[in-house]
Amino acid sequence: MSQKTLYDKLWESHIVTERDDGSALIYIDRHIIHEVTSPQAFEGLRLAGRKPWRLDTNVATPDHNISTDRFEREAGVAGIPDLTSRIQVQTLDDNCEHFGIKEFKMNEMGQGIVHVMGPELGATMPGMTVVCGDSHTATHGALGCLAHGIGTSEVEHVLASQCLVAKKMKNMRVTVDGCLATGVTPKDVVLAIIGKIGTAGGNGHAIEFAGEVFRDMTVEGRMTVCNMAIEAGARVGMVAVDETTIDYVHGRQFVPSGGLWGLAVAYWKTLVSDDQAVFDSEVFLHADEIAPQVTWGTSPEMVAEVTARVPDLSSQKTPEERRGLERALAYMGLEGGQAITSIAVDRVFIGSCTNSRIEDMRAAAAVARGRKTASSVKQVLVVPGSQMVKAQAEAEGLDKVFINAGMEWREPGCSMCLAMNADKLGSGEHCASTSNRNFEGRQGNGGRTHLMSPAMAAAAAVAGHIVDVRDFVQEVVT
Amino acid sequence: MKAFTRHSGLVGPMDRANVDTDMIIPKQFLKSIKRSGFGPNLFDELRYLDSGEPGQDCSMRPLNVEFPLNQQRYSGASILLARTNFGCGSSREHAPWALEDYGFRAIIAPSFADIFYNNCFKNGLLPVVLSEQSVDRLFAGLYLEEGYQLTVDLKDQQVLSSDGSSYDFEIDEFRKQCLLNGLDEIALTLQEATSIKRYETQRAACHPWVFGAIK
Ligand code: SF4
């Protein structure tokens, strides 16, 4: 029998029909819905007089447009300050009600950023195809499933037919062996990978993250890595199923129990690439090469070790590269050759579907504990990714740690990851951010984003500038 | 989706290269919950002198008279004549939605951005690729003659002008059939409902936990 990759197995097990032109009708097991990319899809269903193909596959929650301010949240949907956002959130509620779709409403336990709540509720399970009208759906691949983002017409297509028309991608494996050093986290691993292969490196590929580093990583950490596969150009990122995956899934709300559990686990354990499987491309890194990472530019590939300097023009070979660097430095307000640690930060954002899980909260709190935010820092937002993360963090007293450090403990949502709700950067402001995109204007018009890990972001908040978390607090990161 | 077989109509110009999706429909309109109603905000920043906000009554806004589509002679245009790389930028489906809502049925250009090209087909809008020379000739005709009309015939894959000249264009057979028959992808997929149900039955037998979990 031929040797298959994890992606081959997931793809083949979801083919409904194959067509002559190489495309296939692929069955979708789980569809997650949020307020921004779904209203037109629901409207389309209505106009065509169609109903969802299945109800027990969809799960919805609002995240992008909602307020993260406690008082505004307490006022319910009516408390969302922006009228168009309020209507969008209300519309999600109405559509879910009308079509009978399971929704975790804004202030209900279970609500959260789509890519945090799906896995934590067990809505995402190994071996599934998972889609959502959002490009960071790759996150769910951390559980050994085939997950990717889709457009609004495709949201409607999945609602109506439970299928998508797709073509198979190529296989890429990124192997990282070794042991991560103290202070080096999953976020640093994925930023280092993007730094190595570039933002187009994974184009047309499904990436499997393999090797000792990912085997040793928690599922939360794997999610941080898969989340940013799209920033390496790949719509899909995934990690093979192992005991860690199965332990993570066990006992979650939508996960089977009893006899079904045993049956599921037996199948899930087959969700690994065969030993001799061939990948179309392979990338290797060693854990020893990876230090804490910080982006200095306007694309996630513009990344460096925290101890490095911002590149200068002489390091660029072609005139085009020089122009690109010049434009990025001008936008970021940086000088070529300046030390990364000399960059002062105006605001800090700890949150987003990349880094707002309980582990991320703990890592940030470990740095913030007993310390104070620098007086030069205008605002530090700590935004848990879901109601469940928030409840767990509060049970552990982490909210107090942040508040005592002069940070704001907010309600779950996308918050300052994108400039679609009230949490935004001002023009020219530098932000130490645990999110995933540092594009121009992403966190607010003229805002300057530096991507990094939660521990690094918390350290920057305390220091007032970017700082190497390893020197800063050696004792807390061990 | 509306079927597209043959369409004759007034031609309007968008005479610049690299028209991006933000130009077609600016980002502030993406908070809308509708797929329709984007027509008044098509080319918003070029078309009006003030800055547009969602939900505004556009009939009261100051028009930019320099913008060709605002001129009387192009009023009611249903075929857009454009330049290279039309529709570049983000993947927003709001761009074809806005063009279609405004009244366009076809866009003729020397090239289109990939995602935009795909999105057009999902929305009953026909993007027609002609050579640069052909597009130049059509622009010349358009500027010369008030009330300039063209016919786009999808079945024969031709653009016909009133002076008798015709221009052949290429199109993917699958997409052509979808448009000719007014099938959207969903309708097409639903023709395979029996296969989908068969798949579900088989799958439910071996992976039953995939079904029924979410209530
Ligand atoms: S947290 Fe950011 S990247 Fe993630 S879903 Fe929300 S807006 Fe998108």
Side-chain angles (χ1 to χ4, degrees):
Chain A
M1 214 177 70
S2 72
Q3 297 276 307
K4 290 177 180 153
T5 66
L6 169 59
Y7 173 61
D8 294 340
K9 292 179 185 182
L10 292 169
W11 170 264
E12 285 168 18
S13 63
H14 289 89
I15 296 173
V16 174
T17 53
E18 280 183 284
R19 298 177 176 174
D20 296 342
D21 63 354
S23 64
L25 202 59
I26 291 294
Y27 193 79
I28 302 303
D29 295 320
R30 187 67 74 235
H31 182 205
I32 308 179
I33 298 165
H34 66 84
E35 76 276 26
V36 179
T37 50
S38 66
Q40 295 89 350
F42 282 116
E43 190 199 28
L45 277 192
R46 266 202 200 86
L47 290 175
R50 293 184 179 125
K51 283 209 215 75
W53 178 272
R54 263 176 68 193
L55 288 177
D56 59 348
T57 171
N58 300 294
V59 55
T61 201
D63 56 2
H64 285 64
N65 260 330
I66 56 178
S67 168
T68 62
D69 176 88
R70 185 157 64 91
F71 297 105
E72 287 174 2
R73 276 291 267 274
E74 278 170 3
V77 176
I80 300 173
D82 177 62
L83 175 66
T84 44
S85 299
R86 196 187 313 150
I87 293 172
Q88 218 171 41
V89 174
Q90 184 61 50
T91 303
L92 180 69
D93 289 357
D94 296 347
N95 280 325
C96 289
E97 174 89 36
H98 176 84
F99 288 104
I101 286 170
K102 174 77 182 169
E103 184 194 3
F104 291 91
K105 292 209 173 78
M106 196 171 74
N107 291 333
E108 279 174 13
M109 185 49 81
Q111 177 270 340
I113 303 172
V114 276
H115 313 309
V116 176
M117 62 84 81
E120 99 190 336
L121 292 171
T124 306
M125 286 181 248
M128 283 184 159
T129 39
V130 180
V131 296
C132 172
D134 188 281
S135 62
H136 290 99
T137 309
T139 312
H140 307 253
L143 281 93
C145 47
L146 174 54
H148 61 78
I150 54 177
T152 295
S153 283
E154 288 179 317
V155 169
E156 186 181 340
H157 197 287
V158 172
L159 278 169
S161 71
Q162 212 51 47
C163 290
L164 277 181
V165 179
K167 276 197 173 164
K168 199 178 173 200
M169 291 173 258
K170 288 185 178 162
N171 280 290
M172 174 185 276
R173 179 163 58 188
V174 177
T175 306
V176 189
D177 278 321
C179 249
L180 294 178
T182 302
V184 181
T185 70
K187 182 65 161 286
D188 303 303
V189 174
V190 70
L191 284 171
I193 293 168
I194 296 165
K196 177 158 175 150
I197 70 174
T199 45
N203 275 358
H205 290 79
I207 300 182
E208 179 177 342
F209 297 98
E212 209 178 338
V213 162
F214 303 109
R215 275 200 300 279
D216 291 347
M217 211 176 258
T218 62
V219 171
E220 280 92 346
R222 294 173 187 179
M223 285 195 249
T224 299
V225 174
C226 291
N227 174 274
M228 293 192 71
I230 186 81
E231 262 55 67
R235 280 173 82 201
V236 166
M238 62 186 102
V239 176
V241 173
D242 61 8
E243 287 300 330
T244 309
T245 323
I246 290 164
D247 288 347
Y248 174 89
V249 173
H250 185 77
R252 292 185 186 267
Q253 185 171 342
F254 296 123
V255 170
S257 54
L260 266 190
W261 167 256
L263 203 63
V265 169
Y267 168 62
W268 292 342
K269 286 188 171 166
T270 67
L271 298 174
V272 296
S273 288
D274 296 332
D275 286 344
Q276 305 301 318
V278 179
F279 288 80
D280 299 288
S281 66
E282 298 243 29
V283 176
F284 297 93
L285 265 84
H286 197 277
D288 294 348
E289 304 165 39
I290 306 176
Q293 307 279 311
V294 177
T295 65
W296 48 264
T298 52
S299 151
E301 69 184 6
M302 293 176 164
V303 65
E305 294 184 3
V306 62
T307 50
R309 289 175 180 277
V310 175
D312 61 26
L313 294 176
S314 64
S315 67
Q316 308 298 301
K317 290 176 220 88
T318 68
E320 249 159 74
E321 283 175 349
R322 260 198 298 283
R323 266 197 303 279
L325 178 60
E326 251 166 4
R327 214 176 24 237
L329 293 183
Y331 180 84
M332 294 299 291
L334 298 174
E335 298 287 335
Q338 121 178 48
I340 300 268
T341 49
S342 70
I343 302 170
V345 301
D346 302 289
R347 291 180 203 263
V348 176
F349 171 57
I350 298 170
S352 91
C353 58
T354 317
N355 282 124
S356 62
R357 299 180 181 80
I358 188 66
E359 277 183 9
D360 302 312
M361 298 292 120
R362 288 179 189 141
V367 175
R369 194 180 301 277
R371 296 194 166 78
K372 289 276 178 227
T373 297
S375 58
S376 58
V377 175
K378 293 178 201 160
Q379 183 181 44
V380 182
L381 289 180
V382 187
V383 190
S386 69
Q387 300 283 353
M388 282 168 75
V389 171
K390 178 171 180 256
Q392 178 65 31
E394 288 176 357
E396 296 177 19
L398 305 184
D399 54 329
K400 302 280 180 324
V401 173
F402 294 122
I403 292 164
N404 290 340
M407 303 174 177
E408 297 176 36
W409 178 244
R410 293 293 191 106
E411 299 297 309
C414 293
S415 185
M416 208 196 269
C417 175
L418 86 174
M420 214 162 167
N421 50 64
D423 307 339
K424 283 180 194 161
L425 293 183
S427 185
E429 287 179 347
H430 287 267
C431 180
S433 178
T434 66
S435 56
N436 45 42
R437 283 186 175 149
N438 53 345
F439 301 156
E440 289 186 21
R442 168 77 179 182
Q443 295 190 286
N445 276 344
R448 296 161 169 168
T449 302
H450 300 280
L451 303 176
M452 62 190 76
S453 74
M456 286 280 289
V462 172
H465 57 87
I466 295 174
V467 66
D468 189 341
V469 70
R470 293 170 301 183
D471 317 331
F472 187 71
V473 274
Q474 191 63 41
E475 74 276 19
V476 301
V477 290
T478 47
Chain B
M1 193 175 69
K2 274 189 264 186
F4 191 109
T5 45
R6 189 183 160 99
H7 174 80
S8 300
L10 188 70
V11 184
M14 190 63 201
D15 198 354
R16 60 159 100 180
N18 302 314
V19 170
D20 64 57
T21 52
D22 206 47
M23 233 182 259
I24 299 172
I25 183 86
K27 52 187 160 297
Q28 64 267 36
F29 302 105
L30 309 192
K31 283 186 183 178
S32 165
I33 56 165
K34 300 234 172 277
R35 191 188 283 258
S36 52
F38 293 100
N41 298 110
L42 175 72
F43 300 125
D44 198 276
E45 284 168 18
L46 302 169
R47 197 161 146 200
Y48 302 100
L49 293 170
D50 60 351
S51 62
E53 285 305 320
Q56 227 173 351
D57 175 5
C58 293
S59 64
M60 308 302 286
R61 296 174 58 195
L63 287 177
N64 174 9
V65 291
E66 304 282 301
F67 184 59
L69 292 179
N70 282 339
Q71 293 164 16
Q72 189 54 39
R73 62 182 285 187
Y74 300 120
S75 161
S78 59
I79 297 172
L80 187 66
L81 189 60
R83 296 291 185 183
T84 50
N85 199 25
F86 188 85
C88 59
S90 89
S91 65
R92 65 189 67 162
E93 262 183 60
H94 305 68
W97 295 343
L99 287 157
E100 200 262 348
D101 192 65
Y102 180 92
F104 288 114
R105 297 296 328 272
I107 308 166
I108 301 170
S111 63
F112 293 90
D114 273 1
I115 302 177
F116 175 82
Y117 187 77
N118 272 319
N119 282 343
C120 284
F121 286 98
K122 292 191 157 87
N123 294 285
L125 194 63
L126 176 63
V128 176
V129 179
L130 294 183
S131 69
E132 297 236 15
Q133 294 91 316
S134 303
V135 170
D136 282 343
R137 280 184 59 190
L138 294 179
F139 265 109
L142 170 70
Y143 289 138
L144 207 68
E145 178 191 329
E146 195 148 330
Y148 184 77
Q149 299 225 354
L150 285 171
T151 297
V152 180
D153 188 320
L154 176 56
K155 201 158 142 287
D156 292 343
Q157 298 182 204
Q158 278 189 328
V159 174
L160 308 158
S161 81
S162 54
D163 64 7
S165 51
S166 69
Y167 307 83
D168 295 346
F169 62 87
E170 295 292 313
I171 188 164
D172 188 79
E173 188 58 30
F174 174 74
R175 286 180 163 135
K176 177 176 171 180
Q177 292 307 324
C178 284
L179 263 187
L180 280 177
N181 299 308
L183 290 175
D184 53 17
E185 267 191 34
I186 297 177
L188 215 74
T189 297
L190 290 175
Q191 287 179 359
E192 306 198 50
T194 320
S195 305
I196 302 172
K197 290 205 176 104
R198 191 183 319 122
Y199 174 89
E200 284 181 328
T201 311
Q202 286 166 359
R203 188 80 191 289
C206 52
H207 301 155
W209 60 87
V210 171
F211 299 84
I214 292 178
K215 297 191 244 311

